[in-house]
Amino acid sequence: DTGVSQDPRHKITKRGQNVTFRCDPISEHNRLYWYRQTLGQGPEFLTYFQNEAQLEKSRLLSDRFSAERPKGSFSTLEIQRTEQGDSAMYLCASSLDGQLSIPYNEQFFGPGTRLTVL
Amino acid sequence: AQSVTQLGSHVSVSEGALVLLRCNYSSSVPPYLFWYVQYPNQGLQLLLKYTSAATLVKGINGFEAEFKKSETSFHLTKPSAHMSDAAEYFCAVSGSGGYQKVTFGTGTKLQVIP
């Protein structure tokens, strides 16, 4: 078990460019989450997947943002036409669902991708 | 809807002193409550969680928290601070049962003074 990994760890881009981030969850985990964390704030929920289905999206996820999890394993988060306000840390987390004996399925976080939009 | 309020964005303690990080929650349903720790340039790590069992919850690294429904609080404590405890700590809440979105507080940065 190598934990949740994210790539790249840092991304610097110019305003108006598109960027794509990747998240590889813990291999047996069927739930995957994306969060955004800005300086001085806690993580804010963006979206979550159960297997390949995107089940919830936050109002924070504007139409410039799209997330996919095509085979129910890794996920990508794309931001089109980046704006300076998109500068943040983008965190991915995964958890295992389906075990009724566990009241809460812990979310395991990756190290994040720090995006800087110039 | 659930929310948490963390009192104090920065807390400084001397090494060996008591650590107390405050968190108050608001929830329309029985909550699950969590404390996470984040070291610089790293993701979040779960310290401990309350899921309606014992009200005093023990976590990793000597931390514990007590769920007090009457005070809507879930403060994090550690009897003796260590230099390695310097980090940012986040309180979080979700509803209980099935999938529930986790809502984080704004964080408290803990400084440990030698």
Side-chain angles (χ1 to χ4, degrees):
Chain A
D1 180 1
T2 57
V4 178
S5 62
Q6 293 186 245
D7 183 68
R9 293 292 307 276
H10 303 273
K11 178 71 176 179
I12 300 173
T13 191
K14 293 182 179 179
R15 189 176 54 186
Q17 297 294 305
N18 299 344
V19 295
T20 300
F21 310 141
R22 177 180 170 123
C23 171
D24 287 88
I26 293 172
S27 58
E28 66 269 25
H29 285 185
N30 53 1
R31 285 184 173 166
L32 187 147
Y33 315 80
W34 284 99
Y35 293 85
R36 182 174 70 186
Q37 185 178 19
T38 53
L39 278 176
Q41 299 296 317
E44 297 171 293
F45 171 81
L46 292 178
T47 188
Y48 109 91
F49 292 83
Q50 173 99 5
N51 299 312
E52 65 275 10
Q54 188 173 20
L55 297 188
E56 186 175 348
K57 292 197 295 186
S58 162
R59 287 173 294 176
L60 293 174
L61 214 65
S62 76
D63 56 6
R64 296 186 297 107
F65 288 70
S66 62
E68 294 183 342
R69 196 183 182 197
K71 297 182 180 179
S73 57
F74 74 91
S75 175
T76 58
L77 177 68
E78 181 183 17
I79 309 174
Q80 295 182 326
R81 306 180 303 281
T82 52
E83 303 172 356
Q84 288 184 325
D86 297 331
S87 296
M89 175 80 87
Y90 290 84
L91 293 165
C92 175
S94 70
S95 69
L96 180 63
D97 176 42
Q99 299 185 25
L100 298 178
S101 61
I102 300 176
Y104 170 72
N105 296 305
E106 178 183 346
Q107 295 183 27
F108 292 82
F109 283 81
T113 293
R114 183 168 294 284
L115 173 66
T116 302
V117 182
L118 303 177
Chain B
Q2 292 89 34
S3 66
V4 290
T5 301
Q6 292 186 242
L7 302 175
S9 58
H10 289 81
V11 170
S12 292
V13 300
S14 298
E15 191 175 15
L18 171 72
V19 176
L20 171 60
L21 304 182
R22 299 177 188 273
C23 173
N24 287 89
Y25 71 90
S26 172
S27 178
S28 54
V29 298
Y32 286 171
L33 292 158
F34 318 93
W35 277 98
Y36 283 84
V37 62
Q38 187 177 34
Y39 296 98
N41 298 315
Q42 294 187 28
L44 283 77
Q45 180 183 13
L46 183 67
L47 274 179
L48 50 79
K49 62 182 183 285
Y50 166 76
T51 56
S52 75
T55 56
L56 182 62
V57 181
K58 294 187 183 299
I60 61 173
N61 302 337
F63 285 93
E64 62 182 38
E66 186 172 8
F67 173 71
K68 291 187 177 180
K69 186 177 179 180
S70 60
E71 299 177 7
T72 62
S73 69
F74 190 59
H75 301 330
L76 181 71
T77 61
K78 181 174 181 177
S80 176
H82 191 273
M83 295 300 294
S84 62
D85 295 327
E88 190 155 21
Y89 292 80
F90 293 93
C91 182
V93 63
S94 79
S96 54
Y99 167 73
Q100 296 285 341
K101 184 174 65 180
V102 178
T103 301
F104 289 85
T106 53
T108 297
K109 198 162 285 188
L110 176 67
Q111 180 186 20
V112 181
I113 302 167

